[in-house]
Amino acid sequence: MKIGTPKEVIEGEARVAMTPDSALQLQKLGYECLIETGAGLAAGFTDAAYKEAGVTIKKTANALWKDADIIAKVRIPTDEEMGRLTKNKTLISFFNPGGNEAGLEAAKAKGANVIAMEMVPRISRAQKMDALSSMANIAGYRAVIEAGNNYGRFFTGQITAAGKVPPARVLVVGAGVAGLAAIGAAVSLGAVVYAFDVRPEVAEQVESMGAEFVYLDFEEEQQDGAATGGYASVSSPEFREAQLAKFRELAPEMDIVITTALIPNREAPKLWLEDMVKAMKRGSVIVDLAAEKGGNVEGTVADEKVVTDNGVTIIGYTDFPSRMAAQASSLYATNIRHMMTDLTPEKDGQVNHNMDDDVIRGATVAFDGEITFPPPPPKVAAIAARPQEKVKELTPEEKRAAEVAAFKAQTKQQVTLLAVGAALVLTVGLVAPASFMQHFIVFLLSVFVGFQVIWGVSHSLHTPLMAVTNAISSIIILGALMQIGSSSVLITILAALAVFMAGINIFGGFLVTRRMLAMFQKS
């Protein structure tokens, strides 16, 4: 079968759904690759590069749509493009099925199959095909670059001979994929970064990236992420008021605000209101990543940059991924390639559109002349949340009784172990020489003390603790080296083995420690 990529017809769209690298991988799956002439130029991929990768160049869009069995593109197809579909052809693209009823009906009438890339379920197995996350990652990063371009000052703080420069203060609203990408970029540039999200469980991710999570003094039971496909759930009016109050408190202090709150097929919630914009300092910048759906900020104009009367710049561009076309095309083409890998399990160049597969079924919005949107929920939950059971609060008397019972049980166990150990030592002492017993008792005491020390350490610290204390094996090496020249062959062999195993312990311990420390070091 043939898979083809046409040139995007939406004005200003620079991405392409097939790159020379992805074409090589698709050919390994048994497909013949086609591309319309000039389709990749805006993203930096020439026709010559495609030819070198074995891709056939088609001069016109009509020729490509006619010859290709599978069409892979980026933007939602236009009416003209939908008219080129025929029965048994497969279209893979962003499609917006929730707001594109006409497109679904056209696909049904044509008998074509449509896979909507934004409908890929958010389950672990499908992460490699999650085009929404790929594009959101780029949008978050690019939002920081655009903000820096319009801010006109340093992100990082500096102390120079000319004076002290304070760092920029950045607030990221929404800690999803785009938000986390923005946090990472802003932190790496040296800004002081704050982040807010209605899901308190993401606080750990935010703080691990070097930002400060903004908490609300408000308690509200949140929905499980699986119920909303991994997105934040809609909050109550009371929560929203507490949220807005916090934003009003933060607005005068922030130099840059990046808003990312958006759920597919819904209008963007208004989170940064006009009075908050007015409270910001002159020269501040707001980047609204939800501008395509109305924006999170009052005053956002889609695809435009607006400067308010008090000198605040509001950026409402909707083409952030396209502004980094080469990177965006590479990631999106990889998402497409992984989708084709699942569609071609035999790697024979033939599509096996398995509607029993969670990922394929979830992304398919039209199949065999029928509209299959919306899909059923996946058999595997998007985010498996462990139910939290409420623990019954014990009274002071019950707590005291439980502590006494635990102490008695522990004491009984220790007395039993000591009695058994003493009996074993006495038994060995009856037959062993005095010189052996002296060393044996020291050995037993060492084991006992070491066990008690390690047992008292928190479980979360066991790995780094053991990685460091393994170096104590050097004591074993010293003892073994003293015995390795013994006249007894058996003692020599045992000493050599002790040196070998203790050496592995020492070098392995330091290697593990180094790798663990590297995890916490910034590159």
Side-chain angles (χ1 to χ4, degrees), residues 32-227:
E32 181 181 344
C33 296
L34 317 174
I35 196 164
E36 182 182 350
T37 183
L41 282 177
F45 304 110
T46 64
D47 288 351
Y50 284 107
K51 284 183 179 178
E52 188 176 345
V55 181
T56 302
I57 310 297
K58 292 292 181 179
K59 292 184 178 180
T60 65
N62 279 332
L64 183 133
W65 283 79
K66 181 179 179 181
D67 289 352
D69 303 294
I70 305 159
I71 304 294
K73 64 187 308 296
V74 180
R75 295 295 288 267
I76 300 170
T78 62
D79 292 341
E80 181 181 359
E81 288 176 319
M82 289 300 297
R84 291 174 177 152
L85 281 176
T86 58
K87 185 176 177 58
N88 296 327
K89 283 189 184 292
T90 298
L91 171 68
I92 304 176
S93 170
F94 283 116
F95 201 78
N96 186 28
N100 189 11
E101 187 176 348
L104 290 173
E105 291 294 339
K108 177 182 177 180
K110 293 284 186 176
N113 303 330
V114 177
I115 293 177
M117 289 303 290
E118 66 265 62
M119 292 303 298
V120 170
R122 288 199 156 181
I123 59 178
S124 298
R125 184 169 65 86
Q127 287 181 355
K128 58 188 178 183
M129 309 170 218
D130 190 350
L132 277 181
S133 292
S134 296
M135 298 303 102
N137 182 23
I138 293 175
Y141 175 85
R142 182 69 188 196
V144 175
I145 302 302
E146 292 291 340
N149 186 47
N150 287 273
Y151 180 51
R153 299 185 183 182
F154 288 135
F155 267 68
T156 185
Q158 292 188 4
I159 298 177
T160 69
K164 182 180 179 181
V165 179
R169 299 169 77 87
V170 179
L171 173 64
V172 179
V173 180
V177 176
L180 291 174
I183 291 168
V187 168
S188 66
L189 288 172
V192 176
V193 184
Y194 303 85
F196 173 83
D197 197 284
V198 298
R199 300 162 294 182
E201 61 267 22
V202 305
E204 185 177 347
Q205 299 178 50
V206 168
E207 291 167 355
S208 70
M209 298 183 71
E212 180 179 334
F213 191 78
V214 176
Y215 290 94
L216 295 184
D217 187 16
F218 185 93
E219 292 187 3
E220 178 178 65
E221 185 176 349
Q222 296 294 316
Q223 287 186 13
D224 178 8

Side-chain angles (χ1 to χ4, degrees), residues 483-512:
Q483 298 296 328
I484 205 165
S486 172
S487 58
S488 171
V489 177
L490 178 61
I491 293 176
T492 301
I493 293 173
L494 290 175
L497 288 174
V499 170
F500 175 71
M501 290 186 285
I504 293 176
N505 231 11
I506 293 172
F507 292 112
F510 281 119
L511 180 62
V512 170

Side-chain angles (χ1 to χ4, degrees), residues 222-239:
Q222 296 294 316
Q223 287 186 13
D224 178 8
T228 54
Y231 295 97
S233 58
V234 179
S235 305
S236 68
E238 293 79 12
F239 184 90

Side-chain angles (χ1 to χ4, degrees), residues 189-410:
L189 288 172
V192 176
V193 184
Y194 303 85
F196 173 83
D197 197 284
V198 298
R199 300 162 294 182
E201 61 267 22
V202 305
E204 185 177 347
Q205 299 178 50
V206 168
E207 291 167 355
S208 70
M209 298 183 71
E212 180 179 334
F213 191 78
V214 176
Y215 290 94
L216 295 184
D217 187 16
F218 185 93
E219 292 187 3
E220 178 178 65
E221 185 176 349
Q222 296 294 316
Q223 287 186 13
D224 178 8
T228 54
Y231 295 97
S233 58
V234 179
S235 305
S236 68
E238 293 79 12
F239 184 90
R240 174 175 167 77
E241 288 305 314
Q243 175 181 289
L244 295 179
K246 190 65 177 180
F247 290 164
R248 288 189 178 95
E249 178 187 331
L250 294 172
E253 305 173 9
M254 294 300 129
D255 300 303
I256 294 169
V257 175
I258 299 172
T259 62
T260 70
L262 184 63
I263 299 176
N265 302 319
R266 294 183 188 175
E267 286 299 308
K270 294 296 181 186
L271 302 176
W272 206 259
L273 307 183
E274 185 179 0
D275 63 303
M276 302 173 194
V277 177
K278 290 181 178 179
M280 295 180 72
K281 299 186 291 285
R282 179 172 292 274
S284 300
V285 179
I286 302 173
V287 182
D288 192 345
L289 292 181
E292 190 173 4
K293 290 293 184 178
N296 298 136
V297 182
E298 286 189 344
T300 294
V301 179
D303 297 313
E304 293 186 17
K305 180 174 70 174
V306 177
V307 180
T308 64
D309 294 338
N310 63 318
V312 176
T313 302
I314 304 175
I315 298 173
Y317 301 149
T318 61
D319 61 345
F320 285 105
S322 189
R323 289 170 182 256
M324 299 184 70
Q327 184 66 75
S329 297
S330 294
L331 290 178
Y332 183 70
T334 301
N335 295 143
I336 295 284
R337 190 254 298 176
H338 283 303
M339 176 62 74
M340 293 306 303
T341 300
D342 271 28
L343 286 167
T344 321
E346 301 300 326
K347 298 183 180 181
D348 57 355
Q350 299 297 317
V351 169
N352 178 14
H353 206 120
N354 181 12
M355 293 294 277
D356 291 327
D357 184 285
D358 270 349
V359 178
I360 295 173
R361 174 63 188 90
T364 302
V365 296
F367 183 69
D368 277 353
E370 297 292 336
I371 296 174
T372 57
F373 176 82
K379 301 181 187 72
V380 180
I383 300 176
R386 183 179 296 175
Q388 296 181 349
E389 297 180 1
K390 293 184 178 180
V391 180
K392 181 184 176 182
E393 192 70 27
L394 298 177
T395 64
E397 293 77 11
E398 290 175 331
K399 287 182 180 178
R400 178 62 181 168
E403 290 173 357
V404 171
F407 177 76
K408 288 182 178 179
Q410 185 178 12

